[in-house]
Amino acid sequence: MKQFQIALLGFGTVGSGVYRIISENGAQIAHREGIELSVGHILVRDFEHEPNLELAPRALFTTSFDEILSDDSINIVVECMGGIEPAKTFIIRALEAGKTVVTSNKEVMSKNWPAFEKAAKATGAGLYLEATVGGGIPIIRTILDSMQANNITRVMGIINGTTNYILTQMTENGQSFEDALKDAQALGYAEANPTADVEGYDAMYKLSILSSMSFHAHMPIEVIYREGITKLTKADFETAQLLNYRIKLLAIGKKDGNKIEVRVHPTMIPATHPLASVRGVFNAIFLTGHAVDDVMLYGRGAGCMPTASAVVSDIVYACHHEKQHKYMTFVNEASMSSEIELVKDFHCIYCIRLNVADRPGTMANIAAAFAEQGVSLKSVIQLGENDGVTSRITFLTHAASEFGVREALKKIESLSCVNAVESMIRVEE
Ligand code: HSE
């Protein structure tokens, strides 16, 4: 039976899960797959602050990456340290040494993919990243190995569990953003510094990977429009409820010919949409292929065992492809291909809520400002406040130009009858 030795870089949530799966399920994997996996080294920063030392034999732990690099028996290096450095340097050095790399690190991967793939191809090493998107959901392999017949025209997903938990709390329990975030932190879903999740960076890294793979064109993070969930208010959720929508932080990629748009932002979707039923910390990714039509994958997007499941799946895949590794199917250049036209003027439905003076002419002036920009209105709901002076008006547009809507809102904001543009949320049907 073929034997493969693995080195783990990092022994936190993901690394310890990988060790546990290999220890507990190694015999079954050997029986089913015909390969014997073992862990040869575990790299930790220092022994003093390592909380999981008791989970593996002491002899496996090292603080020296060079020890791993110079050990010829190590075939596969699993990077689950997170962050940029030293993960980036270790990945490059392992690939240059001809060792296959499996990573769960979406940030380092999305920021350095072309350099990593170049280094991998130069030595014939493998580079695998199933665990970077959607935790235990097998989305990368689905795109790579099961969607070859398709031109993927859309990828749309809930790919951040922390924000989905917060939005679920705001929807179902009427919590404020601040209270829902505190709950998420108390439950260990959100970090003490939640910026990467709540401002949409984590989803942006993952969308860069997903859309690059789906559209066979590199979509660096710089071309992705990003907006987080921190400005959402209780009134936004009341509006969504009124219109029978749910608010989700969606990562959206669309391709039409050579035109591609990639964006992460709070989005209203019909309450009946399959993604609307994805609650709490769960993730789901919705793909549309020209042949297969719609496919949705659902599961746990983070956590020790789900993420380790994806890592071990990559390890097994890498072992089976050791003679001829499979790389991603796009030209791996640092910037976006010049053949692609990046769409910044999105066309979608907009839900806009205004606080206005409740007096004659208000509606006419606002409607005129939309009309000037070619923005057609689909529905208008006016809810008067009890003071008889102000009212809240919610507009739902037909599919409209983002630039047109923004121009119209600039004009509307300047009208004396408008107290405030309270929110503008994009809608996907
Ligand atoms: N913080 C991420 C999430 C998990 O909440 O989904 C790791 O990407």
Side-chain angles (χ1 to χ4, degrees), residues 106 132 159-163 189 191 197 202 206 283 301-302:
K106 70 257 4 167
T132 58
I159 50 179
N160 182 272
T162 305
T163 47
Y189 299 147
E191 309 274 343
D197 290 321
D202 178 77
K206 293 167 178 170
N283 283 199

Side-chain angles (χ1 to χ4, degrees), residues 231-245:
K231 293 192 178 69
L232 292 172
T233 63
K234 284 187 182 187
D236 294 325
F237 289 84
E238 286 161 12
T239 304
Q241 193 71 35
L242 194 70
L243 297 166
N244 207 22
Y245 284 133

Side-chain angles (χ1 to χ4, degrees), residues 308-375:
S309 158
V311 170
V312 174
S313 155
D314 267 353
I315 292 172
V316 171
Y317 190 92
C319 294
H320 286 316
H321 291 80
E322 60 162 343
K323 293 210 166 27
Q324 182 76 61
H325 285 291
K326 189 162 180 179
Y327 301 103
M328 300 309 159
T329 53
F330 59 88
V331 180
N332 236 303
E333 286 164 356
S335 54
M336 207 181 68
S337 157
S338 55
E339 285 157 27
I340 298 296
E341 190 185 322
L342 182 70
V343 177
K344 290 188 177 162
D345 186 12
F346 315 132
H347 274 68
C348 64
I349 297 169
Y350 293 81
C351 179
I352 295 154
R353 198 178 64 253
L354 308 179
N355 184 307
V356 301
D358 199 355
R359 63 174 187 242
T362 293
M363 194 69 90
N365 285 327
I366 295 167
F370 279 127
E372 263 172 39
Q373 294 298 327
V375 177

Side-chain angles (χ1 to χ4, degrees), residues 61-345:
F61 290 96
T62 177
T63 55
S64 164
F65 178 68
D66 287 333
E67 188 187 337
I68 292 170
L69 210 58
S70 60
D71 184 344
D72 291 338
S73 74
I74 296 294
N75 317 92
I76 298 173
V77 170
V78 173
E79 185 276 311
C80 38
M81 311 176 85
I84 298 295
E85 287 294 359
K88 177 182 168 185
T89 302
F90 290 170
I91 290 173
I92 289 276
R93 290 185 66 202
L95 293 168
E96 285 173 350
K99 296 186 191 297
T100 283
V101 169
V102 171
T103 181
S104 60
N105 185 337
K106 70 257 4 167
E107 183 179 4
V108 81
M109 196 63 222
S110 63
K111 290 180 177 171
N112 299 283
W113 195 340
F116 290 168
E117 195 160 311
K118 195 170 165 214
K121 284 176 175 164
T123 59
L127 175 62
Y128 297 98
L129 56 140
E130 180 64 72
T132 58
V133 184
I137 302 173
I139 181 64
I140 302 293
R141 198 91 71 241
T142 297
I143 296 172
L144 191 65
D145 280 353
S146 304
M147 296 289 278
Q148 299 97 325
N150 290 272
N151 301 325
I152 298 179
T153 53
R154 183 173 60 153
V155 53
M156 189 160 91
I158 295 168
I159 50 179
N160 182 272
T162 305
T163 47
N164 202 50
Y165 173 83
I166 292 171
L167 297 178
T168 304
Q169 290 297 104
M170 293 176 81
T171 302
E172 297 180 7
N173 300 330
Q175 278 193 314
S176 66
F177 169 76
E178 290 75 17
D179 288 346
L181 172 60
K182 269 188 210 139
D183 278 4
Q185 285 169 325
L187 289 163
Y189 299 147
E191 309 274 343
N193 177 353
T195 306
D197 290 321
V198 299
E199 294 294 2
Y201 290 97
D202 178 77
M204 175 185 73
Y205 302 143
K206 293 167 178 170
L207 180 61
S208 167
I209 293 169
L210 273 185
S211 56
S212 297
M213 291 192 63
S214 298
F215 304 145
H216 308 283
H218 189 208
M219 291 286 123
I221 56 171
E222 293 75 21
V223 305
I224 298 178
Y225 174 82
R226 176 191 54 78
E227 195 181 300
I229 63 165
T230 52
K231 293 192 178 69
L232 292 172
T233 63
K234 284 187 182 187
D236 294 325
F237 289 84
E238 286 161 12
T239 304
Q241 193 71 35
L242 194 70
L243 297 166
N244 207 22
Y245 284 133
R246 297 289 175 268
I247 301 177
K248 295 291 185 185
L249 181 71
L250 289 194
I252 301 169
K254 291 184 183 175
K255 183 167 190 282
D256 180 9
N258 68 338
K259 292 184 180 158
I260 295 183
E261 62 185 68
V262 271
R263 45 194 168 103
V264 171
H265 52 69
T267 311
M268 287 188 180
I269 51 174
T272 51
H273 192 286
L275 286 173
S277 63
V278 178
R279 301 172 57 250
V281 290
F282 278 87
N283 283 199
I285 299 135
F286 201 84
L287 292 173
T288 306
H290 86 285
V292 72
D293 202 24
D294 292 336
V295 172
M296 189 166 111
L297 283 87
Y298 168 92
R300 291 195 180 275
C304 171
M305 294 300 269
T307 311
S309 158
V311 170
V312 174
S313 155
D314 267 353
I315 292 172
V316 171
Y317 190 92
C319 294
H320 286 316
H321 291 80
E322 60 162 343
K323 293 210 166 27
Q324 182 76 61
H325 285 291
K326 189 162 180 179
Y327 301 103
M328 300 309 159
T329 53
F330 59 88
V331 180
N332 236 303
E333 286 164 356
S335 54
M336 207 181 68
S337 157
S338 55
E339 285 157 27
I340 298 296
E341 190 185 322
L342 182 70
V343 177
K344 290 188 177 162
D345 186 12

